[in-house]
């Protein structure tokens, strides 16, 4: 009986020690860091990327480089521009990414990406003084800073503002949608 009681106390002490050791990992949130890259995240279905003029399927998250051409088939994908904005691609959408730099660095790129065909939804989290997400369409350049907008490129270009505002530049004309 003494050995059995001693075993219970030792086992209890080991279990308590394990809980004390693992407690912070279980109960405290992990350290979060800002993303430093532009990532493509396929969410469902088939998504392809053009590599050397060949279309390759994308099965997991990949880092995007300037000039990357993306296409969703019956699938969907999200492009995460660091912690600044998200572009979601609907099925049957083709885009080309031009600028993967931090928006605080005001480079000479006129567009962040080009919507070739299909439907995208853009959510910008960038304050107005900083260069926003710039989407080139057949109609003009759509700039999103703080807000969300959907853009459809087909026979016509349709822009719907869901939150806050967007600026469309066509030649010397600026159109502000709220």
């Amino acid at each position: 009986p003494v050995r059995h009681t001693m075993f219970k106390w030792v086992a209890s002490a080991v279990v308590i020690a394990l809980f004390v050791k693992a407690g912070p990992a279980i109960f405290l949130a992990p350290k979060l860091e800002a993303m430093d890259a532009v990532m493509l995240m396929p969410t469902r279905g088939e998504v392809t990327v053009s590599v050397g003029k060949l279309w390759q399927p994308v099965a997991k998250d990949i880092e995007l480089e300037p000039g990357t051409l993306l296409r969703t088939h019956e699938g969907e994908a999200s492009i995460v521009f660091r912690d600044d904005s998200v572009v979601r691609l609907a099925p049957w959408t083709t885009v080309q990414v031009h600028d993967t730099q931090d928006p605080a660095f005001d480079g000479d790129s006129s567009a962040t990406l080009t919507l070739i065909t299909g439907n995208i939804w853009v959510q910008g989290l960038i304050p107005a003084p900083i260069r926003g997400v710039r989407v080139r369409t057949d109609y003009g350049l759509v700039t999103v800073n703080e807000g969300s907008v959907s853009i459809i490129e087909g026979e016509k270009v349709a822009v719907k503002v869901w939150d806050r505002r967007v600026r469309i530049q066509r030649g010397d004309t600026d159109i502000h949608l709220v």
Side-chain angles (χ1 to χ4, degrees):
V2 175
R3 294 180 102 192
H4 187 63
T5 306
M6 182 78 136
F7 177 74
K8 286 181 180 179
W9 281 105
V10 171
S12 298
V14 169
V15 169
I16 291 172
L18 287 175
F19 274 120
V20 169
K21 179 80 172 160
I26 295 172
F27 298 112
L28 298 177
K31 180 180 173 185
L32 299 175
E33 297 180 12
M35 289 178 39
D36 193 28
V38 176
M39 301 295 294
L40 171 68
M41 299 175 178
T43 52
R44 73 170 184 85
E46 185 179 358
V47 179
T48 57
V49 62
S50 177
V51 178
K53 297 185 181 181
L54 295 173
W55 290 97
Q56 301 292 323
V58 178
K60 60 180 183 172
D61 299 356
I62 61 168
E63 186 174 336
L64 296 177
E65 298 292 328
T68 304
L69 197 59
L70 308 167
R71 181 180 295 158
T72 59
H73 298 277
E74 291 181 5
E76 297 176 351
S78 294
I79 302 172
V80 179
F81 289 87
R82 295 173 185 74
D83 292 338
D84 304 319
S85 58
V86 176
V87 177
R88 294 206 173 119
L89 286 68
W92 308 109
T93 300
T94 304
V95 298
Q96 183 172 19
V97 178
H98 301 293
D99 188 3
T100 59
Q101 295 181 359
D102 190 349
F105 173 76
D106 196 15
D108 57 358
S109 174
S110 63
T112 308
L113 61 99
T114 298
L115 176 58
I116 299 168
T117 185
N119 184 4
I120 62 172
W121 174 76
V122 181
Q123 173 153 20
L125 305 169
I126 306 168
I130 299 175
R131 172 179 54 102
V133 178
R134 299 173 180 169
V135 180
R136 184 180 302 140
T137 66
D138 286 341
Y139 183 81
L141 192 65
V142 179
T143 303
V144 181
N145 282 79
E146 299 170 312
S148 64
V149 62
S150 64
I151 306 169
I152 300 170
E153 176 78 48
E155 292 180 22
K156 296 181 180 182
V157 175
V159 178
K160 295 179 184 177
V161 179
W162 298 101
D163 187 25
R164 299 206 181 198
R165 63 190 168 277
V166 67
R167 184 176 109 190
I168 302 172
Q169 297 170 286
R170 183 173 188 182
D172 295 336
T173 306
D174 275 3
I175 302 169
H176 296 272
L177 301 177
V178 179

